[in-house]
Amino acid sequence: MQNNFQRRDRGEQRESNQMVFGIRAVIEAIDSGKEIESLFIQRGLSGSLLLELKALIKETNIGYQQVPIEKLNRITRKNHQGVIAVISPIIYHNIEDILPEIYEKGETPLLLMLDGVTDVRNMGAIARTAECAGVHAIIVPKKGSAEINPDAIKTSAGALYKIPVCRQDSLGKTGRFLIDSGVQLVVSTEKTKDSVYDIDYTVPTCVIMGAEDVGVSDDLIRISDKLAKIPMFGEIGSLNVSVSAGIVIYEAIRQRNIIK
């Protein structure tokens, strides 16, 4: 499949992971529109400035972890004042903006949703495969997803700078939006008799992959159009999620190339 979808030029948006220390500095980073990859706040911390930060966090729907001061001290020895934010090296997108662009260009959407994939190297490997295959975008949840950090970037061979990554508040709501937009949801799961090779991927499709230990959530399975499993013939009953994603994505590419 030749994908002519023009991804946005991200050359000027690249930056390595940076840490921002201190409540005021973190507030300023959020106000300036920086993408916060992760945010750590010292457990038991209080004060009016912290209340201002928490109000901003709520307003911008940024997730954070309350941690003991020992963890913050392990991250840095600088004067962190009980708050450390990690700035993302990529700019996140919204699938509600990306999908219309794909349709407007006359292309058939091929999307990849990752539900609970938390290993950064798996994230990087999946992104590399997806970018090579011409997948239009990767969709991840704001909470419970692998951090996009230098390890993920390196494992992706830079693909995470090229393929749009959409970080969504709710995968369930996103799934329903995709269905309403004419995109079929195909869940890769062992909870079916249907093979990944029996699915028609020539229509607008979002492939959903889950965590290796628990798979795709029941909420997404309930609203999906198709369930499909990868045939297994050996004694080991599962594949690494990055390998599984590659198998399904390239079956979609194979079908689309045959049609063309």
Side-chain angles (χ1 to χ4, degrees), residues 127-149:
R128 182 174 184 174
T129 299
E131 202 284 328
C132 287
V135 170
H136 290 103
I138 297 173
I139 302 168
V140 299
K142 276 193 174 180
K143 298 180 181 179
S145 182
E147 182 178 310
I148 305 300
N149 62 18

PDB file of all heavy atoms in Angstrom, residues 127-149:
ATOM      1  N   ALA A 127       5.884   1.232  17.030  1.00  0.00           N
ATOM      2  CA  ALA A 127       5.886   2.473  16.247  1.00  0.00           C
ATOM      3  C   ALA A 127       6.740   2.329  14.996  1.00  0.00           C
ATOM      4  O   ALA A 127       6.378   2.826  13.921  1.00  0.00           O
ATOM      5  CB  ALA A 127       6.384   3.632  17.101  1.00  0.00           C
ATOM      6  N   ARG A 128       7.858   1.642  15.122  1.00  0.00           N
ATOM      7  CA  ARG A 128       8.738   1.443  13.965  1.00  0.00           C
ATOM      8  C   ARG A 128       8.026   0.637  12.879  1.00  0.00           C
ATOM      9  O   ARG A 128       8.047   1.010  11.698  1.00  0.00           O
ATOM     10  CB  ARG A 128      10.015   0.726  14.408  1.00  0.00           C
ATOM     11  CG  ARG A 128      11.027   0.511  13.283  1.00  0.00           C
ATOM     12  CD  ARG A 128      12.320  -0.059  13.830  1.00  0.00           C
ATOM     13  NE  ARG A 128      13.333  -0.174  12.797  1.00  0.00           N
ATOM     14  CZ  ARG A 128      14.591  -0.532  13.026  1.00  0.00           C
ATOM     15  NH1 ARG A 128      14.991  -0.800  14.257  1.00  0.00           N
ATOM     16  NH2 ARG A 128      15.461  -0.609  12.031  1.00  0.00           N
ATOM     17  N   THR A 129       7.382  -0.454  13.282  1.00  0.00           N
ATOM     18  CA  THR A 129       6.645  -1.271  12.322  1.00  0.00           C
ATOM     19  C   THR A 129       5.500  -0.485  11.700  1.00  0.00           C
ATOM     20  O   THR A 129       5.291  -0.520  10.480  1.00  0.00           O
ATOM     21  CB  THR A 129       6.088  -2.531  13.011  1.00  0.00           C
ATOM     22  OG1 THR A 129       7.168  -3.315  13.517  1.00  0.00           O
ATOM     23  CG2 THR A 129       5.267  -3.372  12.046  1.00  0.00           C
ATOM     24  N   ALA A 130       4.761   0.234  12.541  1.00  0.00           N
ATOM     25  CA  ALA A 130       3.605   0.990  12.054  1.00  0.00           C
ATOM     26  C   ALA A 130       4.022   2.053  11.049  1.00  0.00           C
ATOM     27  O   ALA A 130       3.369   2.244  10.013  1.00  0.00           O
ATOM     28  CB  ALA A 130       2.872   1.627  13.232  1.00  0.00           C
ATOM     29  N   GLU A 131       5.106   2.761  11.327  1.00  0.00           N
ATOM     30  CA  GLU A 131       5.561   3.808  10.419  1.00  0.00           C
ATOM     31  C   GLU A 131       6.024   3.202   9.095  1.00  0.00           C
ATOM     32  O   GLU A 131       5.708   3.733   8.023  1.00  0.00           O
ATOM     33  CB  GLU A 131       6.696   4.609  11.073  1.00  0.00           C
ATOM     34  CG  GLU A 131       6.885   6.001  10.501  1.00  0.00           C
ATOM     35  CD  GLU A 131       7.567   6.016   9.155  1.00  0.00           C
ATOM     36  OE1 GLU A 131       8.410   5.118   8.906  1.00  0.00           O
ATOM     37  OE2 GLU A 131       7.274   6.907   8.335  1.00  0.00           O
ATOM     38  N   CYS A 132       6.753   2.086   9.170  1.00  0.00           N
ATOM     39  CA  CYS A 132       7.223   1.427   7.946  1.00  0.00           C
ATOM     40  C   CYS A 132       6.049   0.958   7.086  1.00  0.00           C
ATOM     41  O   CYS A 132       6.128   0.965   5.857  1.00  0.00           O
ATOM     42  CB  CYS A 132       8.107   0.239   8.303  1.00  0.00           C
ATOM     43  SG  CYS A 132       9.740   0.669   8.928  1.00  0.00           S
ATOM     44  N   ALA A 133       4.958   0.545   7.743  1.00  0.00           N
ATOM     45  CA  ALA A 133       3.801   0.022   7.026  1.00  0.00           C
ATOM     46  C   ALA A 133       2.874   1.119   6.513  1.00  0.00           C
ATOM     47  O   ALA A 133       1.956   0.833   5.738  1.00  0.00           O
ATOM     48  CB  ALA A 133       3.024  -0.936   7.933  1.00  0.00           C
ATOM     49  N   GLY A 134       3.074   2.340   6.947  1.00  0.00           N
ATOM     50  CA  GLY A 134       2.219   3.426   6.505  1.00  0.00           C
ATOM     51  C   GLY A 134       0.960   3.598   7.320  1.00  0.00           C
ATOM     52  O   GLY A 134      -0.014   4.190   6.850  1.00  0.00           O
ATOM     53  N   VAL A 135       0.954   3.070   8.552  1.00  0.00           N
ATOM     54  CA  VAL A 135      -0.178   3.298   9.448  1.00  0.00           C
ATOM     55  C   VAL A 135      -0.325   4.805   9.658  1.00  0.00           C
ATOM     56  O   VAL A 135       0.656   5.523   9.839  1.00  0.00           O
ATOM     57  CB  VAL A 135       0.043   2.578  10.791  1.00  0.00           C
ATOM     58  CG1 VAL A 135      -0.991   2.993  11.821  1.00  0.00           C
ATOM     59  CG2 VAL A 135       0.002   1.064  10.581  1.00  0.00           C
ATOM     60  N   HIS A 136      -1.564   5.275   9.645  1.00  0.00           N
ATOM     61  CA  HIS A 136      -1.775   6.726   9.701  1.00  0.00           C
ATOM     62  C   HIS A 136      -1.527   7.321  11.086  1.00  0.00           C
ATOM     63  O   HIS A 136      -1.090   8.461  11.199  1.00  0.00           O
ATOM     64  CB  HIS A 136      -3.203   7.063   9.264  1.00  0.00           C
ATOM     65  CG  HIS A 136      -3.449   6.846   7.810  1.00  0.00           C
ATOM     66  ND1 HIS A 136      -4.122   5.754   7.317  1.00  0.00           N
ATOM     67  CD2 HIS A 136      -3.084   7.577   6.729  1.00  0.00           C
ATOM     68  CE1 HIS A 136      -4.174   5.834   5.994  1.00  0.00           C
ATOM     69  NE2 HIS A 136      -3.558   6.925   5.604  1.00  0.00           N
ATOM     70  N   ALA A 137      -1.836   6.586  12.133  1.00  0.00           N
ATOM     71  CA  ALA A 137      -1.655   7.127  13.484  1.00  0.00           C
ATOM     72  C   ALA A 137      -1.714   5.999  14.502  1.00  0.00           C
ATOM     73  O   ALA A 137      -2.341   4.960  14.281  1.00  0.00           O
ATOM     74  CB  ALA A 137      -2.730   8.170  13.805  1.00  0.00           C
ATOM     75  N   ILE A 138      -1.062   6.238  15.633  1.00  0.00           N
ATOM     76  CA  ILE A 138      -1.130   5.339  16.791  1.00  0.00           C
ATOM     77  C   ILE A 138      -1.931   6.043  17.871  1.00  0.00           C
ATOM     78  O   ILE A 138      -1.705   7.219  18.154  1.00  0.00           O
ATOM     79  CB  ILE A 138       0.277   4.996  17.315  1.00  0.00           C
ATOM     80  CG1 ILE A 138       1.073   4.237  16.249  1.00  0.00           C
ATOM     81  CG2 ILE A 138       0.191   4.174  18.598  1.00  0.00           C
ATOM     82  CD1 ILE A 138       2.525   4.004  16.626  1.00  0.00           C
ATOM     83  N   ILE A 139      -2.864   5.310  18.477  1.00  0.00           N
ATOM     84  CA  ILE A 139      -3.725   5.873  19.516  1.00  0.00           C
ATOM     85  C   ILE A 139      -3.389   5.220  20.853  1.00  0.00           C
ATOM     86  O   ILE A 139      -3.350   3.993  20.963  1.00  0.00           O
ATOM     87  CB  ILE A 139      -5.207   5.637  19.188  1.00  0.00           C
ATOM     88  CG1 ILE A 139      -5.548   6.255  17.826  1.00  0.00           C
ATOM     89  CG2 ILE A 139      -6.109   6.188  20.281  1.00  0.00           C
ATOM     90  CD1 ILE A 139      -6.902   5.824  17.284  1.00  0.00           C
ATOM     91  N   VAL A 140      -3.128   6.032  21.870  1.00  0.00           N
ATOM     92  CA  VAL A 140      -2.812   5.523  23.207  1.00  0.00           C
ATOM     93  C   VAL A 140      -3.640   6.283  24.239  1.00  0.00           C
ATOM     94  O   VAL A 140      -4.087   7.400  23.978  1.00  0.00           O
ATOM     95  CB  VAL A 140      -1.305   5.670  23.529  1.00  0.00           C
ATOM     96  CG1 VAL A 140      -0.456   4.873  22.557  1.00  0.00           C
ATOM     97  CG2 VAL A 140      -0.895   7.138  23.539  1.00  0.00           C
ATOM     98  N   PRO A 141      -3.840   5.697  25.421  1.00  0.00           N
ATOM     99  CA  PRO A 141      -4.557   6.411  26.479  1.00  0.00           C
ATOM    100  C   PRO A 141      -3.633   7.361  27.224  1.00  0.00           C
ATOM    101  O   PRO A 141      -2.413   7.165  27.256  1.00  0.00           O
ATOM    102  CB  PRO A 141      -5.029   5.280  27.395  1.00  0.00           C
ATOM    103  CG  PRO A 141      -3.966   4.229  27.251  1.00  0.00           C
ATOM    104  CD  PRO A 141      -3.520   4.301  25.818  1.00  0.00           C
ATOM    105  N   LYS A 142      -4.211   8.391  27.829  1.00  0.00           N
ATOM    106  CA  LYS A 142      -3.405   9.320  28.613  1.00  0.00           C
ATOM    107  C   LYS A 142      -2.817   8.641  29.840  1.00  0.00           C
ATOM    108  O   LYS A 142      -1.726   8.987  30.299  1.00  0.00           O
ATOM    109  CB  LYS A 142      -4.253  10.523  29.034  1.00  0.00           C
ATOM    110  CG  LYS A 142      -4.339  11.602  27.979  1.00  0.00           C
ATOM    111  CD  LYS A 142      -4.908  12.885  28.529  1.00  0.00           C
ATOM    112  CE  LYS A 142      -4.847  13.996  27.490  1.00  0.00           C
ATOM    113  NZ  LYS A 142      -5.397  15.271  28.007  1.00  0.00           N
ATOM    114  N   LYS A 143      -3.557   7.685  30.388  1.00  0.00           N
ATOM    115  CA  LYS A 143      -3.089   6.959  31.573  1.00  0.00           C
ATOM    116  C   LYS A 143      -2.921   5.483  31.223  1.00  0.00           C
ATOM    117  O   LYS A 143      -3.715   4.918  30.490  1.00  0.00           O
ATOM    118  CB  LYS A 143      -4.082   7.131  32.726  1.00  0.00           C
ATOM    119  CG  LYS A 143      -4.249   8.568  33.192  1.00  0.00           C
ATOM    120  CD  LYS A 143      -5.242   8.668  34.327  1.00  0.00           C
ATOM    121  CE  LYS A 143      -5.434  10.114  34.780  1.00  0.00           C
ATOM    122  NZ  LYS A 143      -6.427  10.240  35.879  1.00  0.00           N
ATOM    123  N   GLY A 144      -1.869   4.876  31.761  1.00  0.00           N
ATOM    124  CA  GLY A 144      -1.661   3.453  31.553  1.00  0.00           C
ATOM    125  C   GLY A 144      -1.023   3.110  30.226  1.00  0.00           C
ATOM    126  O   GLY A 144      -1.290   2.047  29.662  1.00  0.00           O
ATOM    127  N   SER A 145      -0.168   3.998  29.737  1.00  0.00           N
ATOM    128  CA  SER A 145       0.534   3.744  28.480  1.00  0.00           C
ATOM    129  C   SER A 145       2.026   3.953  28.673  1.00  0.00           C
ATOM    130  O   SER A 145       2.451   4.640  29.607  1.00  0.00           O
ATOM    131  CB  SER A 145       0.024   4.675  27.389  1.00  0.00           C
ATOM    132  OG  SER A 145       0.669   4.417  26.156  1.00  0.00           O
ATOM    133  N   ALA A 146       2.802   3.352  27.798  1.00  0.00           N
ATOM    134  CA  ALA A 146       4.257   3.485  27.883  1.00  0.00           C
ATOM    135  C   ALA A 146       4.680   4.938  27.733  1.00  0.00           C
ATOM    136  O   ALA A 146       4.118   5.690  26.932  1.00  0.00           O
ATOM    137  CB  ALA A 146       4.925   2.640  26.804  1.00  0.00           C
ATOM    138  N   GLU A 147       5.661   5.329  28.503  1.00  0.00           N
ATOM    139  CA  GLU A 147       6.205   6.676  28.403  1.00  0.00           C
ATOM    140  C   GLU A 147       7.010   6.806  27.119  1.00  0.00           C
ATOM    141  O   GLU A 147       7.757   5.904  26.744  1.00  0.00           O
ATOM    142  CB  GLU A 147       7.094   6.951  29.613  1.00  0.00           C
ATOM    143  CG  GLU A 147       7.694   8.338  29.657  1.00  0.00           C
ATOM    144  CD  GLU A 147       8.525   8.561  30.913  1.00  0.00           C
ATOM    145  OE1 GLU A 147       8.030   8.281  32.013  1.00  0.00           O
ATOM    146  OE2 GLU A 147       9.680   9.006  30.778  1.00  0.00           O
ATOM    147  N   ILE A 148       6.820   7.905  26.436  1.00  0.00           N
ATOM    148  CA  ILE A 148       7.645   8.187  25.256  1.00  0.00           C
ATOM    149  C   ILE A 148       8.911   8.873  25.739  1.00  0.00           C
ATOM    150  O   ILE A 148       8.930  10.069  26.018  1.00  0.00           O
ATOM    151  CB  ILE A 148       6.903   9.078  24.244  1.00  0.00           C
ATOM    152  CG1 ILE A 148       5.568   8.461  23.855  1.00  0.00           C
ATOM    153  CG2 ILE A 148       7.769   9.296  23.004  1.00  0.00           C
ATOM    154  CD1 ILE A 148       5.667   7.109  23.212  1.00  0.00           C
ATOM    155  N   ASN A 149       9.951   8.083  25.864  1.00  0.00           N
ATOM    156  CA  ASN A 149      11.218   8.590  26.391  1.00  0.00           C
ATOM    157  C   ASN A 149      12.345   8.224  25.422  1.00  0.00           C
ATOM    158  O   ASN A 149      12.093   7.645  24.362  1.00  0.00           O
ATOM    159  CB  ASN A 149      11.462   8.038  27.798  1.00  0.00           C
ATOM    160  CG  ASN A 149      11.567   6.522  27.824  1.00  0.00           C
ATOM    161  OD1 ASN A 149      11.794   5.882  26.800  1.00  0.00           O
ATOM    162  ND2 ASN A 149      11.389   5.928  28.990  1.00  0.00           N
TER     163      ASN A 149
END
